[in-house]
Amino acid sequence: MDGHPLSTAALPPTGTLPLPITIAPGDGIGPEIMQATLAILAAAGAQLAPEVVTIGESAYLSGEPTGIGAEAWASLARTKLLLKGPITTPQGGGYKSVNVTLRKTLGLFANIRPCRALHPVVPTRHPDLDVIIIRENEEDLYAGIEHQHTDEVVQCLKLISRPGTERIVRYGFDVAAAAGIDKVSCFTKDNIMKLTDGLFHRVFDEISALYPAIKTEHLIVDIGAARLADQPGRFKLIILPNLYGDILSDVAAEIAGSVGLAGSANIGSHGALFEAIHGSAPDIAGQDKANPSGLLCAAIMMLAQNGQTHIAARIEAAWLRTLEDGVHTPDIFAADRSEVCVGTQGFAEAVIARLGQQPQQFDLRLSQPLPAVPPPPARLPKADKSMDGVDLFVHWSDGTPDDLAKAVQSAAHATPGLSLAVITNRGVKVWPNGRAETFCTDHWRCRFMLTPNASLSPALVPGLMQALAQAGLPAIKMEMLYRFNGTPGYTAAQGQ
Ligand code: NAD
């Protein structure tokens, strides 16, 4: 930390105990925007006891296969607080996302991403955009559980839990109530994903009943996204499952003026991580062009959340005043309304020069602490669970769906109590009575249902799988079909 703007020696002597914090500059533009942010924090009198760690691509390249080493974990165990620059994640292969690992390992279930247009100071087609995106942070397709099943088909598991959903929805409503927001929206795709997104929507409806003063709406995510992009002013706070929240918070930040303007808080019961919403921007790394505002806004939220609201407010006021004065980085520079185009460090100097000044047009938003984290939801009582059948997936490419049905039925005829009910390919029914136009891959789901008066136990399934394997149809995946308190816990095949 020698020479670092936040080295302990540089801190102003006050009675406040410095806040232990882990700082990870990150990759790409990360070190530049972190340097700018830390310079502003130090000048504003933030009381921090920083521990700087290397994580991400730079850690990976120096031999740490997961991108985050023991030293970084040890620091996080001590501080439970991370201010992080963006991290480069390899696409389509390589090490897993360090961001996702951090959020999930530390139990940071809520990702809060405030986005607002700073019109007319920052050019935007949507002057009325002012929305908080609440993104579920641990579940959904980000479980990262992927498999190749056949030559032609790979899968990614989408996991949504009731406790995880209850917690994020409740926190979203708490954030709305604390901010005086009177309308909360939720987007899902529960017309297609009836069980997973259906659960998220159902829990949203249940929890909204606990906040009668807040109006609520649910939109299918496609029209919700279109309206957010076209008429963002109609939304105030949106609660979203992980993937939709990731995508739509970038959309909201970008149409507010720049993806470089938004910060985010990742909140959990045992720690917190603050970061910009954008990535490592390798296209402008090392050029002193990046806007440090996203990371600075995250740092303002971090200070507010950790008992230094006055310092947070001082920085937020100076940051807004800098933007109002037309001191802009290239991403938001417009010749007709900006005064001067500055680099990353020049922007930091301009903010530092305005510490103690107030904005003239915008109110402060980020320097309020977020609400307390709700306790983990109560566990559900165990349901009465009964089996209806089993889906066995097979890798096969030797003929038509009728050929497969014949082969499966002949192999399975000795398994009592189970009969082949339907075969699907990529979810669409192809047997019985499939259509010749349906394109089939080498990945087939054979659904076996209990025959009348038979009783099925999970122990029967291995026998069926063995019979199929002996007939040259080894199962690549099995899903039991259960009822929970009498309600089927599985969807019908498309076209069934
Ligand atoms: P990106 O956000 O890095 O960049 C998208 C565009 O926005 C680029 O043109 C970039 O120059 C611009 N931009 C981003 N931040 C800016 C800033 N502060 N100032 C000015 N312009 C800015 O997205 P990408 O290119 O898709 O991703 C690059 C890498 O970042 C990938 O490896 C990705 O996995 C990673 N990433 C990390 C995080 C994170 O650490 N939380 C988030 C998103 C992406």
Side-chain angles (χ1 to χ4, degrees):
M1 286 301 293
D2 285 351
H4 199 279
L6 271 180
S7 67
T8 312
L11 289 172
T14 75
T16 317
L17 274 183
L19 176 71
I21 181 168
T22 304
I23 285 175
D27 302 317
I29 58 169
E32 301 159 59
I33 59 173
M34 186 63 82
Q35 185 187 342
T37 298
L38 295 184
I40 297 167
L41 264 60
Q47 298 296 298
L48 304 180
E51 300 182 12
V52 178
V53 299
T54 301
I55 61 177
E57 189 182 42
S58 18
Y60 179 73
L61 292 176
S62 57
E64 178 47 62
T66 60
I68 175 161
E71 194 193 330
W73 284 121
S75 174
L76 284 169
R78 278 189 296 275
T79 66
K80 301 181 175 22
L81 184 58
L82 176 61
L83 180 66
K84 186 183 78 59
I87 283 174
T88 299
T89 307
Q91 287 168 258
Y95 61 90
K96 281 191 131 178
S97 165
V98 172
N99 295 313
V100 176
T101 304
L102 279 169
R103 291 173 192 148
K104 291 171 64 164
T105 309
L106 300 176
L108 308 176
F109 70 96
N111 193 324
I112 293 100
R113 299 182 158 195
C115 300
R116 104 167 128 150
L118 297 173
H119 175 79
V121 166
V122 177
T124 171
R125 283 192 291 271
H126 303 288
D128 57 351
L129 187 157
D130 189 356
V131 63
I132 301 176
I133 305 282
I134 306 279
R135 166 186 171 193
E136 194 288 317
N137 224 13
E138 298 180 281
E139 305 192 341
D140 197 353
L141 291 158
Y142 288 64
I145 305 173
E146 295 189 292
H147 300 94
Q148 176 159 3
H149 279 171
T150 66
D151 297 323
E152 295 177 345
V153 175
V154 290
Q155 76 157 16
C156 177
L157 278 187
K158 173 165 169 134
L159 297 175
I160 303 274
S161 77
R162 178 170 265 276
T165 307
E166 282 182 8
R167 215 164 178 213
I168 188 66
V169 173
R170 183 146 213 154
Y171 196 60
F173 275 95
D174 285 349
V175 171
I181 289 173
D182 63 1
K183 180 182 162 196
V184 171
S185 310
C186 173
F187 301 171
T188 72
K189 189 81 182 168
D190 65 339
N191 53 334
I192 303 296
M193 286 163 277
K194 295 175 192 297
L195 289 187
T196 47
D197 281 23
L199 175 62
F200 200 94
H201 184 176
R202 207 162 55 247
V203 169
F204 176 79
D205 286 347
E206 286 167 17
I207 291 189
S208 67
L210 306 174
Y211 298 80
I214 297 179
K215 291 190 286 291
T216 60
E217 66 174 355
H218 172 270
L219 297 177
I220 302 292
V221 65
D222 28 5
I223 189 62
R227 296 226 169 110
L228 177 67
D230 187 50
Q231 310 151 38
R234 55 172 285 165
F235 300 106
K236 296 181 176 177
L237 184 144
I238 312 175
I239 303 176
L240 296 147
N242 203 341
L243 178 64
Y244 312 143
D246 190 5
I247 296 168
L248 292 183
S249 56
D250 265 36
V251 170
E254 184 76 357
I255 65 176
S258 167
V259 76
L261 283 173
S264 79
N266 298 264
I267 303 286
S269 297
H270 308 293
L273 183 169
F274 296 83
E275 61 184 340
I277 75 157
H278 60 73
S280 56
D283 53 337
I284 54 167
Q287 299 171 35
D288 193 41
K289 282 186 183 164
N291 189 340
S293 296
L295 186 61
L296 183 63
C297 288
I300 292 168
M301 293 164 83
M302 182 277 292
L303 289 171
Q305 192 66 4
N306 287 280
Q308 299 190 34
T309 43
H310 58 298
I311 306 283
R314 195 168 140 80
I315 298 172
E316 188 179 7
W319 170 66
L320 288 168
R321 184 61 185 261
T322 305
L323 294 172
E324 287 176 356
D325 286 350
V327 183
H328 293 166
T329 42
D331 56 318
I332 55 169
F333 182 83
D336 59 337
R337 58 183 98 189
S338 304
E339 287 296 323
V340 55
C341 187
V342 288
T344 313
Q345 307 315 320
F347 185 82
E349 285 161 21
V351 174
I352 291 168
R354 286 164 179 77
L355 285 168
Q357 297 183 28
Q358 292 302 313
Q360 307 298 300
Q361 303 175 46
F362 303 118
D363 57 344
L364 306 190
R365 292 287 181 78
L366 304 172
S367 34
Q368 289 299 318
L370 290 161
V373 169
R379 308 312 292 246
L380 286 181
K382 278 203 164 72
D384 180 18
K385 204 170 156 191
S386 57
M387 257 181 87
D388 280 351
V390 63
D391 279 348
L392 291 180
F393 293 74
V394 295
H395 180 177
W396 187 78
S397 48
D398 296 340
T400 66
D402 287 353
D403 296 337
L404 176 61
K406 264 192 217 121
V408 169
Q409 281 174 321
S410 131
H413 82 278
T415 308
L418 280 171
S419 70
L420 183 65
V422 63
I423 298 177
T424 68
N425 196 291
R426 293 187 298 174
V428 176
K429 186 187 80 164
V430 292
W431 181 93
N433 308 320
R435 297 183 65 91
E437 298 88 345
T438 308
F439 175 76
C440 291
T441 67
D442 58 359
H443 185 267
W444 308 81
R445 173 178 59 169
C446 303
R447 173 162 288 183
F448 293 86
M449 299 302 280
L450 206 55
T451 51
N453 305 322
S455 70
L456 179 62
S457 84
L460 284 177
V461 176
L464 177 60
M465 290 171 74
Q466 201 176 357
L468 288 179
Q470 278 164 356
L473 294 163
I476 42 172
K477 177 184 161 78
M478 169 193 81
E479 294 280 359
M480 300 293 198
L481 307 178
Y482 286 112
R483 273 173 194 268
F484 291 78
N485 295 332
T487 304
Y490 52 91
T491 50
Q494 285 162 12
Q496 200 177 11

